Amino acid sequence: MFTVLDFDHWPRREIFTCFRRTAIYLTVQVDVTGLWRRCKRGGLRLYPALIYGAARVVNGDPAFRYGFDQQGRLGLWDRLTPYYTVPRREGGEELFSIAATEYVPDFSAFSDACLRDMEAAEGCGRLLYQDPLPENGFGISWGPGASLSPFMDAGDVKEDLSPFVLYGGVYERDGRMLLPVGAEFAHAVNDGVHVSRFFQALEQELGALGEP
């Protein structure tokens, strides 16, 4: 469901107008020690867990669910669906497909659906496994071999309002397993307080998945 905002009386109207097309991009090292250990014990795949963690944070905070309807009106989605890249079985590492899995709060149900969508997308032979992607979506990608450096930038153009999340490769430091997470936010609707809240909540959610 999409709820149209009363823009003329919206408290954030001036900020939105000033920063309408501005992006904030930030990379943060997130502690995933518990989740990593649980995945290594078996029975849990890391990528679906990472997708779920981001989806849970985004869906738990209305600041990350702004968007536009087909008439271009600003509003809030009641739920966002994560769509994510999946390497294709044929074509080497340079080809990928994009799949979407509807978010549900139950992790086991989401993970099972996500794994089914991943398997189908790996062999679909095209960019979009589901075409078109859902309007109420936000993007996720994963480069497990990438070491993302801490980086922050503001000023790039961003037309949409939903976050985009890029996961890097897990590495060990001082006995902890850290995951570099890059995320792009629309400054029109997200400020530093929202960005900080996103990463704090993501670490909490991924940590909760690592609990026995």
Side-chain angles (χ1 to χ4, degrees):
M1 186 175 69
F2 185 82
T3 302
V4 177
L5 292 177
D6 182 357
F7 186 77
D8 291 336
H9 297 92
W10 187 36
R12 195 179 172 86
R13 180 182 62 176
E14 183 181 15
I15 299 173
F16 179 92
T17 302
C18 180
F19 297 102
R20 167 63 188 91
R21 300 173 71 239
T22 303
I24 298 173
Y25 185 88
L26 181 65
T27 304
V28 171
Q29 312 304 306
V30 174
D31 191 327
V32 294
T33 304
L35 176 59
W36 180 258
R37 289 172 178 169
R38 183 179 175 189
C39 290
K40 287 299 181 181
R41 290 197 301 267
L44 189 66
R45 291 270 297 275
L46 182 59
Y47 195 21
L50 297 180
I51 295 169
Y52 174 84
R56 188 165 175 84
V57 172
V58 166
N59 282 287
D61 193 329
F64 305 125
R65 289 189 271 111
Y66 287 101
F68 300 100
D69 66 5
Q70 293 183 344
Q71 288 74 46
R73 296 175 298 180
L74 175 67
L76 277 171
W77 295 102
D78 66 334
R79 183 170 295 188
L80 288 189
T81 296
Y83 59 84
Y84 47 88
T85 57
V86 180
R88 297 188 198 177
R89 283 194 291 268
E90 298 180 0
E93 296 180 352
E94 296 182 0
L95 294 181
F96 64 91
S97 297
I98 299 175
T101 301
E102 184 178 356
Y103 170 73
V104 292
D106 181 80
F107 172 67
S108 295
F110 177 85
S111 181
D112 289 346
C114 187
L115 289 170
R116 289 193 298 269
D117 289 333
M118 284 182 177
E119 184 177 4
E122 286 173 357
C124 74
R126 58 183 183 274
L127 178 60
L128 300 182
Y129 167 55
Q130 299 105 329
D131 190 5
L133 291 172
E135 290 182 280
N136 59 327
F138 77 100
I140 298 173
S141 189
W142 187 28
S147 177
L148 304 180
S149 300
F151 175 73
M152 182 174 183
D153 184 49
D156 291 342
V157 173
K158 184 170 175 59
E159 298 290 353
D160 67 307
L161 301 179
S162 59
F164 177 84
V165 181
L166 174 62
Y167 290 114
V170 178
Y171 66 97
E172 183 177 0
R173 187 176 69 190
D174 299 329
R176 308 299 294 176
M177 304 306 297
L178 301 181
L179 171 71
V181 182
E184 182 188 49
F185 303 87
H187 196 4
V189 292
N190 295 153
D191 304 316
V193 63
H194 305 109
V195 173
S196 297
R197 202 159 70 208
F198 174 87
F199 287 106
Q200 290 169 355
L202 181 63
E203 187 166 81
Q204 291 173 358
E205 294 296 343
L206 296 180
L209 291 177
E211 295 175 357

